[in-house]
Amino acid sequence: MRALKYGIGFVVLAVGLGANAEEKVVEMAPIVVTASRIPEPINETASSVEQITGEDLFERQDRTLPEALSIVPGVLVQKTSYGQGSPYIRGFTGFHTLLLVDGIRLNSPIFRSGPNQYWNTVDSFSLSHLELLKGPGAVLYGSDAVGGTLQVFSTLPEFAAPGEKAWGGRLAGRAASAERSVIGRAETAYATEHYAAQVGVTAKSFGDLEGGRHVGRQKKTGYDELNFDAKLRLALPGDREMILAFFSVDQDDIWRTHRTPWGISWHGTTIGTEPIHRFDQDHDLGYVRYIDREATPFYDTLELTFYGQRQEETKEVQKQSGTSEVDGFDVRTWGVKADLLKDTSFGTWAYGAEYIRDKIDSFRRSYDEDGEFVSRGIQGPVADDSYYHMAAIYLQDRLALTERLELTAGARATYAKADIGRYENFETTPHTPASFEDDWTDLSGHLRLACQVIDEHWLVYASLSQAYRAPGLYDLTSFNVNRSTDIAIPSPDLDPEKFLGGEIGSRVESRYVAWHIAYFYTDLRDQIISHHIGDNYFSRANSGEGYVHGVETELKLKYTDQWQSRFGFTWMEGYTDYTSTSGEPVHEYIRTLPMSGFATLRWQEPSKRFWVEGVVRAVAKEDRLTANDKRDTQRIPPGGTPGYAVADLRAGWKVNQRLSLVGGVDNVTDKDYRQHGSGSNEAGRNFILSAEYQF
């Protein structure tokens, strides 16, 4: 009780200090939209949401999009390989987390349950900012939005002033010693008052990663990547506009090193035996968006988007025997979505609809020891010649109950259909091609109550949100190797997974203090679980029930105009219960983020032209292993992944209005460590130099 009194006293004192301080220019709180689809200051957002700006990405010198989340409370960035980053958000990853690019779903039916590489196919050097909403977001964003929803926003070219023309651009580069990497970005833009166009190219070359003082060079970890993006913005009569955008990424020769003899043994992990295990990845996305801000009786703002997307993947695996397989898929997606906002006397309404159609082709080819073609498989990693359809409508209202109390309520209805054209039927000998159709419906809702205890300074909230995940082609028809040796086979008889998430939280904001703390609980029902059915074969069934819960907090302190700090802490745990194939009840851990924390201390001169920052990241040992973790001996040491504490140091200099430089040293002590579940260790002492020139 005494601690609670002191805590409340600290909050009130901090708010009071901010309110009574002498008047100065006050920095406005960042505006976020992902939490509710309604633009609002982050300090007034009744959700756990994080915003990372383009300036943050540059100053932190993040290498990839997933690594941009590395010091966000509640997030573990696992890397199956150096080119395959997949965040665990509140204990969920893979197809239980959703990635949006300018509001368009990157997720597709071929996404798998565990960590995957697809978030790494978004070029972080082309982004203006990103927003992470933690917790269920199914009402606003649909299937897969269980652990969290990350929305990234690409740079939007600006119109020129009336009667003028404008031309400019940006050159950016990053070089790192332990990564043996070089990244270069060039973009240019031209604008009039009627249109604005922008084109950019990012080239990335990563060499073999240098680990800590004892690990040394980790061979076959490097890869190359080329990104291209273009955007055209057209001003239409009235307050209307149209945006045309295209993004493309090509990644070559990404090895899963832990599966090969090139892997390392670390704290007892085993070394793989496959001479070759590598991926090529391509991703293209294009859209046309019409925006109307001319108010009508039905909307104040309308966004209508037509988009197309293509994801291609090719994997080559050579076995120890010398035989090899090449498999992959080609997913072609098109969709249409409408999102509307309307302020009324009955609250602010956000509503819309979306339809998505995926066409999936997959292949598998086998070769003998001499590289001669042997056979063609019935399917690749997922079913061949298949379609997946998803249609949804959603409606949300935010209503002020009193001057301080606000209620948000919403619902989403979804229809999903899988039309499986060709998959490998394991119930026949020999296996024969088979096909089937199935469909599912879902109705999910959420409620959120927020109270402004002190206007603009102290907000408390509570929420209850449903989420779901419709079975995808990975669940229904995958035929591939998971973890290290487990072979997943098709499981056509599945239902959607169901989730119910609750959260209570508090936000405190003043000139000197910004503090957010939240407790969350997610209940799992009808979880799709892999079951051992003999040898190394596994099938799936809706047999799991469980929960994940935890506490996360983030505190920002501004001591003076020059000195400031940021602290973060996370604790969580999760369990799942199911019945094994032998009839035994199983109660086991869900892989979550180990207890972790970070602290930063930053100094900047009054003009903000020069700054210095130190960062300490600490993660506890993770010995809460699932049965699958225990079998995954190539990535997870016996007894669990050791904890670590790592220090980083960086400094920045704004040379003039056009040129900015950042130099840093990550892992100053050259420590050997890895993120839990990753296939290689992190970089050792890593000197990084970044530069940006705007013209």
Side-chain angles (χ1 to χ4, degrees):
M1 182 61 71
R2 181 178 298 176
L4 179 61
K5 288 182 180 179
Y6 288 156
I8 294 175
F10 169 75
V11 169
V12 174
L13 175 62
V15 172
L17 285 172
N20 297 324
E22 59 181 279
E23 291 188 7
K24 292 188 178 182
V25 176
V26 179
E27 296 182 2
M28 299 297 293
I31 301 298
V32 294
V33 298
T34 305
S36 62
R37 289 191 181 268
I38 302 170
E40 58 187 344
I42 194 170
N43 60 304
E44 298 178 14
T45 302
S47 303
S48 292
V49 64
E50 188 92 12
Q51 185 186 85
I52 300 174
T53 66
E55 183 179 8
D56 294 331
L57 294 172
F58 176 67
E59 292 187 354
R60 297 178 190 178
Q61 302 181 297
D62 296 307
R63 182 180 68 93
T64 65
L65 174 63
E67 290 185 3
L69 306 176
S70 58
I71 55 171
V72 172
V75 180
L76 163 70
V77 181
Q78 190 263 21
K79 302 169 191 173
T80 301
S81 74
Y82 193 46
Q84 301 177 325
S86 185
Y88 275 80
I89 304 171
R90 289 189 170 178
F92 298 93
T93 193
F95 54 36
H96 288 112
T97 56
L98 178 62
L99 176 59
L100 304 171
V101 179
D102 290 343
I104 297 169
R105 295 171 60 96
L106 182 78
N107 291 42
S108 75
I110 54 84
F111 275 29
R112 57 182 178 269
S113 58
N116 60 56
Q117 63 269 37
Y118 308 113
W119 287 37
N120 211 41
T121 63
V122 175
D123 177 23
S124 60
F125 285 73
S126 67
L127 304 179
S128 67
H129 66 286
L130 56 89
E131 295 176 4
L132 174 64
L133 172 64
K134 290 176 280 188
V139 167
L140 294 178
Y141 301 109
S143 179
D144 304 351
V146 179
T149 301
L150 177 67
Q151 181 162 204
V152 302
F153 298 86
S154 62
T155 304
L156 188 66
E158 297 292 337
F159 295 113
E164 296 184 4
K165 298 179 180 180
W167 176 79
R170 179 170 70 104
L171 299 174
R174 178 188 182 277
S177 61
E179 301 166 9
R180 304 177 184 274
S181 68
V182 177
I183 300 174
R185 166 78 176 175
E187 67 181 41
T188 185
Y190 179 79
T192 70
E193 63 179 300
H194 300 295
Y195 69 88
Q198 176 181 293
V199 176
V201 177
T202 306
K204 306 178 183 181
S205 177
F206 299 100
D208 289 339
L209 184 64
E210 192 79 23
R213 66 174 69 95
H214 301 299
V215 169
R217 186 79 58 84
Q218 300 175 84
K219 296 183 178 180
K220 297 293 184 181
T221 52
Y223 66 97
D224 294 320
E225 178 179 327
L226 182 64
N227 301 269
F228 172 79
D229 55 270
K231 188 172 287 186
L232 175 63
R233 188 179 180 192
L234 303 174
L236 302 178
D239 195 0
R240 302 178 178 91
E241 66 177 279
M242 183 172 290
I243 301 173
L244 294 82
F246 178 76
F247 309 92
S248 179
V249 60
D250 178 14
Q251 296 176 333
D252 296 321
D253 212 24
I254 299 179
W255 285 62
R256 283 192 177 175
T257 314
H258 69 279
R259 299 281 294 272
T260 75
W262 302 105
I264 61 171
S265 179
W266 187 70
H267 284 265
T269 58
T270 57
I271 295 176
T273 60
E274 298 171 350
I276 297 175
H277 194 118
R278 61 188 177 195
F279 287 79
D280 290 335
Q281 199 83 38
D282 296 287
H283 177 217
D284 299 319
L285 168 64
Y287 68 82
V288 177
R289 174 166 293 155
Y290 170 74
I291 304 174
D292 185 355
R293 303 182 186 89
E294 295 282 340
T296 74
F298 302 102
Y299 60 82
D300 295 331
T301 303
L302 163 69
E303 288 191 4
L304 182 62
T305 307
F306 298 88
Y307 60 92
Q309 188 168 201
R310 183 174 184 177
Q311 296 174 329
E312 291 184 279
E313 177 179 296
T314 302
K315 178 181 66 176
E316 179 184 1
V317 176
Q318 185 182 80
K319 302 296 184 181
Q320 192 174 17
S321 63
T323 62
S324 60
E325 280 189 351
V326 177
D327 67 16
F329 55 75
D330 181 353
V331 182
R332 302 190 184 198
T333 304
W334 71 264
V336 57
K337 61 194 294 284
D339 300 296
L340 304 94
L341 286 176
K342 181 64 180 178
D343 275 322
T344 74
S345 57
F346 297 99
T348 300
W349 295 83
Y351 61 102
E354 183 172 23
Y355 171 73
I356 306 170
R357 173 188 178 273
D358 298 284
K359 172 67 169 69
I360 303 101
D361 295 307
S362 71
F363 67 91
R364 174 177 281 109
R365 298 188 295 267
S366 300
Y367 300 85
D368 63 18
E369 296 88 340
D370 298 322
E372 296 294 327
F373 176 79
V374 174
S375 63
R376 187 182 305 274
I378 295 172
Q379 67 170 82
V382 296
D384 185 30
D385 191 24
S386 299
Y387 294 87
Y388 199 91
H389 306 265
M390 187 174 293
I393 56 173
Y394 72 90
L395 177 67
Q396 175 189 266
D397 184 30
R398 174 180 288 183
L399 179 64
L401 301 178
T402 68
E403 185 177 345
R404 296 186 180 276
L405 201 60
E406 187 175 71
L407 175 67
T408 301
R412 186 185 191 96
T414 303
Y415 171 79
K417 179 182 178 182
D419 183 355
I420 307 302
R422 180 182 172 92
Y423 80 99
E424 189 162 351
N425 185 0
F426 276 71
E427 295 181 359
T428 62
T429 305
H431 302 164
T432 57
S435 62
F436 71 93
E437 292 184 4
D438 205 349
D439 60 81
W440 311 271
T441 57
D442 177 81
L443 180 62
S444 294
H446 76 204
L447 290 171
R448 182 182 299 120
L449 192 63
C451 178
Q452 288 281 355
V453 181
I454 302 177
D455 286 343
E456 299 181 359
H457 291 299
W458 188 4
L459 170 75
V460 295
Y461 66 90
S463 65
L464 192 64
S465 303
Q466 292 176 301
Y468 70 98
R469 193 188 64 81
L473 264 70
Y474 175 86
D475 305 285
L476 300 166
T477 66
S478 67
F479 177 33
N480 56 14
V481 179
N482 296 329
R483 292 170 287 274
S484 300
T485 58
D486 302 343
I487 302 174
I489 65 173
S491 307
D493 188 18
L494 294 174
D495 294 317
E497 297 179 313
K498 302 284 188 176
F499 307 87
L500 180 62
E503 179 176 330
I504 55 174
S506 172
R507 287 187 180 275
V508 171
E509 185 85 17
S510 76
R511 182 184 169 199
Y512 294 107
V513 177
W515 178 42
H516 176 246
I517 184 169
Y519 169 78
F520 60 91
Y521 184 99
T522 304
D523 183 73
L524 294 73
R525 289 289 181 268
D526 297 328
Q527 186 181 10
I528 297 176
I529 298 290
S530 293
H531 291 274
H532 184 241
I533 58 174
D535 296 327
N536 289 326
Y537 287 97
F538 286 76
S539 65
R540 298 177 180 85
N542 293 95
S543 57
E545 297 185 357
Y547 67 91
V548 177
H549 74 139
V551 176
E552 57 190 33
T553 186
E554 185 173 9
L555 174 67
K556 298 178 183 178
L557 297 176
K558 187 175 182 180
Y559 308 110
T560 68
D561 288 340
Q562 284 74 51
W563 290 93
Q564 52 191 301
S565 289
R566 179 174 170 234
F567 305 90
F569 172 79
T570 305
W571 172 87
M572 68 175 71
E573 68 175 2
Y575 296 91
T576 186
D577 294 293
Y578 61 94
T579 302
S580 70
T581 51
S582 63
E584 295 295 322
V586 177
H587 179 74
E588 69 172 16
Y589 291 111
I590 294 174
R591 184 187 292 183
T592 58
L593 171 66
M595 187 170 62
S596 64
F598 65 84
T600 72
L601 179 62
R602 181 184 176 106
W603 174 87
Q604 60 187 16
E605 65 165 348
S607 68
K608 299 183 180 181
R609 288 188 59 188
F610 184 76
W611 56 268
V612 180
E613 183 176 60
V615 181
V616 175
R617 298 171 283 129
V619 175
K621 178 180 180 180
E622 184 54 284
D623 54 7
R624 302 170 300 176
L625 304 182
T626 70
N628 293 331
D629 287 342
K630 294 175 183 178
R631 287 195 300 269
D632 196 355
T633 60
Q634 293 175 356
R635 290 188 289 183
I636 300 176
T641 304
Y644 62 86
V646 177
D648 308 324
L649 182 65
R650 58 182 67 96
W653 179 28
K654 191 174 182 63
V655 181
N656 52 46
Q657 292 299 316
R658 297 181 182 273
L659 179 62
S660 298
L661 302 174
V662 177
V665 186
D666 282 358
N667 192 0
V668 173
T669 60
D670 201 27
K671 186 174 183 60
D672 294 312
Y673 75 104
R674 74 170 51 179
Q675 304 285 1
H676 181 56
S678 297
S680 59
N681 281 28
E682 293 296 305
R685 186 180 296 114
N686 193 21
F687 294 91
I688 310 174
L689 178 63
S690 302
E692 182 180 71
Y693 180 77
Q694 297 181 348
F695 58 91

